[in-house]
Amino acid sequence: MIEHNDNAILRVGNLLFRKPCLDDVDDLMTVKNDDESALLLGGVHPHYTKDDITNWINFHNTQDDEAVFVIVDTETSHVIGHAGIYKIDERIRKAEYGILIGTKNARGKGYGTIITNTISEYGFSVLGLHKIKALVLKENLPSYYMFKKCGYEEEGVLKDENFKNDRYYDVVILSKFENI
């Protein structure tokens, strides 16, 4: 069950979802600079500095069209990743979803499914969204199957949509719709 309060803090089991703060800089340095995770993500991985992370936190805490959370494992008190709903379009009631679990010991425990289900439910029940879309590199099969498990449907493939590591990558569009 999701517990929610006005500060957009969610708790599911041992996972706490909250807005990022400057106390998270060191943990986010570890999370966002994980090379293994970066290979599976769409963005270019520049190896973030503390200033980059500070700017990332400040930027995302000032955006009106997104809801970004760091994910804290309450058993270790460390940030294991972040997830959010971005590009919220209130008129059409749609948005994009992104997730990063960037600590090796947090992978393979089902956290991706828990986080994705939690953020999706938040998007539909709290933000009033109709559609949430995720973009996944076609080669990122663990993420693809996790999204399918969470009820996301494949809508299509964008050919050569992303360029990194000196090559092009196809991107799969997966979406989930509110229960009408």
Side-chain angles (χ1 to χ4, degrees):
M1 177 179 195
I2 296 176
E3 299 171 31
H4 172 261
N5 69 29
D6 290 335
N7 294 322
I9 295 174
L10 311 169
R11 182 183 301 273
V12 179
N14 67 309
L15 299 179
L16 177 71
F17 299 63
R18 63 168 171 73
K19 288 184 83 161
C21 66
L22 295 179
D23 290 340
D24 298 323
V25 169
D26 289 336
D27 280 351
L28 284 169
M29 286 281 296
T30 301
V31 166
K32 294 182 77 58
N33 285 318
D34 182 79
D35 290 329
E36 192 174 320
S37 296
L39 290 173
L40 300 174
L41 297 176
V44 178
H45 190 259
H47 283 21
Y48 297 94
T49 66
K50 284 190 176 195
D51 284 343
D52 294 333
I53 300 296
T54 299
N55 292 336
W56 182 91
I57 291 168
N58 290 331
F59 174 81
H60 287 291
N61 282 336
T62 61
Q63 300 306 298
D64 292 332
D65 67 340
E66 59 185 44
V68 176
F69 301 91
V70 291
I71 314 301
V72 179
D73 180 342
T74 58
E75 293 175 0
T76 66
S77 298
H78 287 287
V79 172
I80 62 166
H82 60 80
I85 297 177
Y86 305 87
K87 299 179 184 176
I88 298 170
D89 183 324
E90 292 178 358
R91 185 182 69 80
I92 301 174
R93 297 178 45 224
K94 69 176 184 172
E96 291 185 17
Y97 171 69
I99 180 173
L100 168 65
I101 300 174
T103 55
K104 196 171 208 148
N105 61 346
R107 291 189 205 112
K109 293 184 175 184
Y111 288 157
T113 300
I114 293 167
I115 294 165
T116 298
N117 282 331
T118 301
I119 298 292
S120 298
E121 184 179 328
Y122 180 84
F124 295 128
S125 66
V126 176
L127 301 178
L129 296 175
H130 170 71
K131 176 182 179 177
I132 300 172
K133 172 177 66 175
L135 303 174
V136 177
L137 292 181
K138 189 173 183 180
E139 296 176 6
N140 187 350
L141 294 178
S143 286
Y144 176 85
Y145 289 118
M146 182 272 302
F147 278 110
K148 297 289 280 183
K149 182 177 180 179
C150 292
Y152 281 70
E153 305 169 19
E154 183 176 328
E155 287 198 82
V157 176
L158 301 169
K159 301 289 185 184
D160 289 350
E161 181 69 9
N162 197 308
F163 186 84
K164 67 180 202 169
N165 303 327
D166 297 323
R167 62 172 279 235
Y168 286 97
Y169 291 84
D170 294 347
V171 173
V172 179
I173 304 168
L174 296 140
S175 296
K176 185 170 184 172
F177 298 86
E178 71 178 319
N179 293 331
I180 302 172

